[in-house]
Amino acid sequence: MGAMREIGCEEVAASLKKALLKAGVELPADVKGVMKEASRRETGRSALVFQRCLENMDVAEKEGLPLCQDTGMVLLFCEIGQDLRLDGDLNEALERGVREAYEEGYFRKSVVMDPLKDRRNSGTNLPPVVYHELVKGDRLKINLLLKGFGSENCSRIHMLKPTCTREGVIEAVLKTVTEAGGSPCPPIVVGIGLGGTMDKAAVLSKKALCRSLDSHHPDPWYDELERELLERINKTGIGGGGLGGDVTALGVKIETYPTHIAGLPLAVTINCWADRKGEVVL
Amino acid sequence: MTAKVRQLTVPLSDVDIASLTAGDEVELNGTILVGRDQAHFRLCQALDRGESLPLEIRGETIYYMGPAPTPPGRIIGSAGPTTSSRMDPFAPRLLDLGLKGMIGKGPRSRDVLEAMVRNGAVYFYAYGGCGALYARRIVSSECVAYEDLGPEAIYRLRVERFPLVVAADARGGSLY
């Protein structure tokens, strides 16, 4: 057996910091592309909103300012290859990457240390929400999301019946989107988790947001469902900023997991148009 | 596109407020206040205790916003709107004290819309997620109350060509 591949946690912290700094200021190519395309397509009142969003993207990138003052709570999905040896403390490296990025990027620190008893700001945007998964290979992959809470507050879990149909799922998603209306800064990106348990569905709905907006679901049945959901969400007419228009969502992505005979958990995570995400592969 | 946008002076005059209709695109010039969840909570707690407020609300326009930190050599960090509905439980009391304008994103409650009609006030939509764009339209910023709240403190901003859309007018008309 050959020597295990080894990477230092210094490198993890530095790469994560770099990816976070970029994610807060510049949208990924897939989101930029869809926003530009949507801006050309929009004919309603929210055409104004698209123009301003594109202008904002330009200013942020040119001047190195965060796209939005809500630079979010950080979610990190770590896939750790089982043949990889990490030299150092991974959790500490992740926290360092977040802390230094938020300090150096002049990102807003939006995390409070206790949710109810004492909502004092941690001052560092720590801690992030971290998920670890052990996978084959000798790589470390980190998918990151800067999740704003205007949209997070509009996200919902529905514990549907096992006999719920495809149409029932569509209706539950549409209900969530319609209730959210103009609050989550549409055009939105919708992440959907189907199956598992309540918590598993919620995590899947976040993982779905990591997928490129240009990607297709590998299962044609779900690919078609993603497409139909996008079309029907756009037909709600909520439009950019909720001002009314043809484009309410930029993308809908679904992740699934086996579930129990007695249920069908459905989690819907709503993200704003400033769909800030990134990927680090080491 | 922006050449024809109607320019408004803040603090707003009653004549200007009466002339605004939901859907109008406008740009503000002058001074506005900034306050969000905790500032509203504290203002209303002070009113509950019968105390005077740390600043005059009458005639003012308040922007629901909590900025990102100010980079060196700049006036303010990224500074876009937050969701207005979280301020709905507090807004009618401030409107009854003479608040004339609110700036944020998303729909308002029936209570807020009624208080706006009762007091002749207006609610503007600010472009959500456009914090970098708004930072460039702010020419000065000073903290005027509750400094300990950091980004949630009350600030006074001077703005130039601050782009907004009238989301709800003083006659009860609303885009949402």
Side-chain angles (χ1 to χ4, degrees):
Chain A
M1 188 184 137
M4 271 186 130
R5 183 169 175 264
E6 185 175 301
I7 51 173
C9 282
E10 292 287 313
E11 194 187 345
V12 176
S15 306
L16 177 61
K17 178 172 100 175
K18 196 174 154 201
L20 288 167
L21 279 168
K22 185 172 180 191
V25 169
E26 186 184 344
L27 289 179
D30 60 322
V31 185
K32 271 189 196 167
V34 178
M35 276 297 285
K36 282 181 187 159
E37 189 273 324
S39 166
R40 284 192 290 271
R41 191 152 46 98
E42 181 60 68
T43 57
R45 199 195 306 271
S46 63
L48 263 178
V49 176
F50 282 96
Q51 285 166 20
R52 296 293 185 188
C53 292
L54 294 182
E55 192 185 336
N56 185 62
M57 282 155 63
D58 268 353
V59 174
E61 204 174 319
K62 282 189 189 124
E63 305 201 10
L65 281 171
L67 283 152
C68 176
Q69 74 292 336
D70 182 358
T71 41
M73 191 166 191
V74 176
L75 281 104
L76 302 173
F77 293 92
C78 303
E79 289 182 9
I80 306 163
Q82 60 184 16
D83 301 326
L84 176 70
R85 207 187 87 77
L86 286 160
D87 183 24
D89 183 329
L90 177 64
N91 290 327
E92 201 182 270
L94 298 177
E95 294 211 337
R96 203 175 114 198
V98 173
R99 189 178 63 238
E100 292 184 0
Y102 275 67
E103 199 55 45
E104 287 175 32
Y106 294 90
F107 290 6
R108 196 180 72 189
K109 287 78 179 174
S110 310
V111 176
V112 296
M113 283 312 286
D114 182 280
L116 182 61
K117 187 176 65 181
D118 180 9
R119 292 184 63 90
R120 206 175 321 184
N121 198 300
S122 73
T124 54
N125 219 54
L126 295 177
V129 175
V130 184
Y131 297 98
H132 299 101
E133 199 180 332
L134 205 55
V135 299
K136 283 181 186 163
D138 61 1
R139 295 268 166 192
L140 170 68
K141 184 171 117 178
I142 305 172
N143 279 102
L144 57 97
L145 298 173
L146 275 64
K147 190 66 180 73
F149 257 57
S151 57
E152 187 65 4
N153 284 336
C154 299
S155 300
R156 295 287 182 269
I157 296 263
H158 304 269
M159 298 303 283
L160 301 173
K161 291 185 169 57
T163 50
C164 180
T165 59
R166 184 179 184 275
E167 184 60 25
V169 168
I170 292 174
E171 278 168 15
V173 174
L174 288 175
K175 180 172 181 277
T176 307
V177 169
T178 308
E179 281 175 7
S183 293
C185 287
I188 53 175
V189 180
V190 183
I192 293 174
L194 264 179
T197 47
M198 182 194 72
D199 51 310
K200 181 70 179 176
V203 177
L204 289 174
S205 73
K206 289 290 187 299
K207 282 193 93 164
L209 287 180
C210 297
R211 272 177 53 202
S212 165
L213 294 183
D214 303 327
S215 72
H216 286 279
H217 198 286
D219 179 334
W221 197 88
Y222 282 108
D223 185 44
E224 178 49 38
L225 181 56
E226 286 178 354
R227 231 183 299 226
E228 182 173 348
L229 275 165
L230 179 59
E231 205 173 290
R232 288 176 65 176
I233 289 170
N234 283 336
K235 280 199 183 129
T236 61
I238 293 166
L243 301 193
D246 312 317
V247 184
T248 299
L250 301 175
V252 179
K253 299 294 166 201
I254 302 172
E255 293 290 313
T256 65
Y257 198 78
T259 192
H260 191 278
I261 51 171
L264 173 50
L266 162 68
V268 184
T269 291
I270 296 188
N271 206 4
C272 54
W273 69 266
D275 181 26
R276 292 155 293 173
K277 59 191 177 184
E279 189 178 286
V280 172
V281 182
L282 294 171
Chain B
M1 156 193 106
T2 46
K4 288 181 200 152
V5 175
R6 180 171 171 198
Q7 302 295 309
L8 283 178
T9 300
V10 268
L12 296 162
S13 71
D14 287 334
V15 175
D16 279 346
I17 292 170
S19 72
L20 294 171
T21 301
D24 290 353
E25 196 189 350
V26 298
E27 291 182 346
L28 299 193
N29 299 274
T31 64
I32 57 176
L33 295 174
V34 170
R36 50 176 288 157
D37 305 68
Q38 296 301 329
H40 279 77
F41 187 52
R42 281 203 195 172
L43 289 172
C44 286
Q45 275 183 323
L47 292 173
D48 285 343
R49 289 192 297 258
E51 297 168 5
S52 61
L53 299 183
L55 76 168
E56 178 63 63
I57 292 292
R58 182 170 301 279
E60 295 286 357
T61 291
I62 194 160
Y63 182 24
Y64 303 141
M65 189 274 286
T70 309
R74 288 190 169 272
I75 289 151
I76 197 166
S78 195
T82 195
T83 307
S84 305
S85 60
R86 295 198 314 275
M87 268 49 80
D88 283 356
F90 310 110
R93 289 185 83 175
L94 301 183
L95 289 163
D96 287 341
L97 285 176
L99 182 72
K100 284 293 174 184
M102 299 165 289
I103 305 169
K105 66 181 175 80
R108 310 305 304 263
S109 69
R110 180 176 294 273
D111 282 353
V112 174
L113 296 175
E114 284 173 4
M116 286 171 54
V117 173
R118 183 164 72 235
N119 294 290
V122 62
Y123 168 52
F124 299 100
Y125 163 78
Y127 298 92
C130 294
L133 184 155
Y134 281 113
R136 287 224 305 196
R137 309 292 177 106
I138 295 166
V139 296
S140 75
S141 163
E142 62 164 331
C143 184
V144 289
Y146 306 145
E147 198 165 1
D148 60 299
L149 290 177
E152 293 213 58
I154 300 181
Y155 295 85
R156 186 181 299 280
L157 305 181
R158 180 166 287 280
V159 299
E160 279 176 8
R161 299 200 60 187
F162 202 74
L164 305 168
V165 177
V166 177
D169 59 42
R171 296 179 303 280
S174 170
L175 286 186
Y176 297 109

